[in-house]
Amino acid sequence: MTMIKVSKFDGDPGVVRDAFAQFPSGVAVLATHIRGEKHALVASSFMVGVSLAPCLVAVAVQKTSTTWELIKDAGAFGVSIFGKGQGDLTRKLASKDRAARFDKVAIEVGDSGAIFIEDAAMWLQCSTHVVSEAGDHWLIMLEVKKLGVGKNEALVWHGRKFRELAELPSVVGA
Ligand SMILES: Cc1cc2nc3c(=O)[nH]c(=O)nc-3n(C[C@H](O)[C@H](O)[C@H](O)COP(=O)(O)O)c2cc1C
């Protein structure tokens, strides 16, 4: 029998990060063109299905994010959900060198400056619905105005690594 050990933690963010790395997610990039510049904010905290009517999605952004400060007043955000084979692109768009993030990246610019990444699994065009404080993060609720589904399967982020989806063999009749 396996022993489940659930212990109190002393608030050490490293311990929390190690535990939360077990939670698989997709990875999104919020991208927009504002005041003459392109900006990208990569987030694995992105969440769909917060509400269907109105259609709301959410993302948690560190309060230290310099990019959020620059884009928070944008009229529209393009949200692209990274697809299979886009791990390096994800890291590039999250790199410290903000000026180099879009170097040789295939994008399309939609309405009101929303930026979409080519070959993604899904695209949303969103506007800010509400921003709430959530500890050391901002919890940003976005209203979805437009959406599109790509042909690429979503990339998976788990254990600080990019992974691919795999379908289990059918167990019908088992
Ligand atoms: C796979 C991955 C997931 C990330 N998820 C988040 C996230 O959910 N929230 C967040 O604030 N930053 C997240 N980051 C970090 C940001 O993308 C970015 O690097 C950070 O905000 C610092 O850049 P900035 O000062 O330009 O905002 C993630 C980075 C990577 C590579």
Side-chain angles (χ1 to χ4, degrees):
M1 202 175 76
T2 35
M3 287 290 290
I4 296 173
K5 196 169 161 236
V6 182
S7 341
K8 279 198 171 165
F9 63 97
D10 58 8
D12 178 352
V15 173
V16 178
R17 275 198 211 102
D18 285 349
F20 287 3
Q22 288 305 314
F23 185 74
S25 68
V27 193
V29 57
L30 269 69
T32 191
H33 196 274
I34 181 170
R35 290 183 279 271
E37 287 188 346
K38 296 194 277 288
H39 296 282
L41 209 169
V42 169
S44 56
S45 58
F46 183 76
M47 180 184 165
V48 294
V50 172
S51 163
L52 296 181
C55 185
L56 300 177
V57 296
V59 62
V61 174
Q62 301 168 60
K63 283 184 177 168
T64 53
S65 167
T66 51
T67 300
W68 176 247
E69 273 310 300
L70 293 167
I71 65 173
K72 63 183 182 186
D73 300 324
F77 297 101
V79 176
S80 302
I81 305 300
F82 288 106
K84 189 171 163 176
Q86 293 188 315
D88 288 346
L89 176 60
T90 304
R91 292 204 192 277
K92 183 178 167 67
L93 284 164
S95 69
K96 294 240 181 302
D97 183 1
R98 189 156 354 104
R101 285 181 184 169
F102 284 96
D103 260 6
K104 300 190 185 81
V105 176
I107 59 165
E108 277 181 36
V109 182
D111 302 348
S112 316
I115 295 176
F116 302 106
I117 307 299
E118 280 189 9
D119 296 324
M122 179 181 73
W123 302 275
L124 308 174
Q125 185 176 313
C126 302
S127 60
T128 305
H129 180 69
V130 70
V131 180
S132 320
E133 273 202 271
D136 57 5
H137 281 57
W138 300 114
L139 182 63
I140 300 150
M141 217 86 86
L142 299 169
E143 181 163 359
V144 179
K145 305 285 188 182
K146 294 184 178 181
L147 56 81
V149 177
K151 291 201 171 70
N152 199 357
E153 273 193 343
L155 185 71
V156 177
W157 177 244
H158 175 261
R160 300 195 179 94
K161 291 190 173 117
F162 295 109
R163 300 176 193 269
E164 288 177 9
L165 288 166
E167 194 175 325
L168 292 174
S170 169
V171 289
V172 173

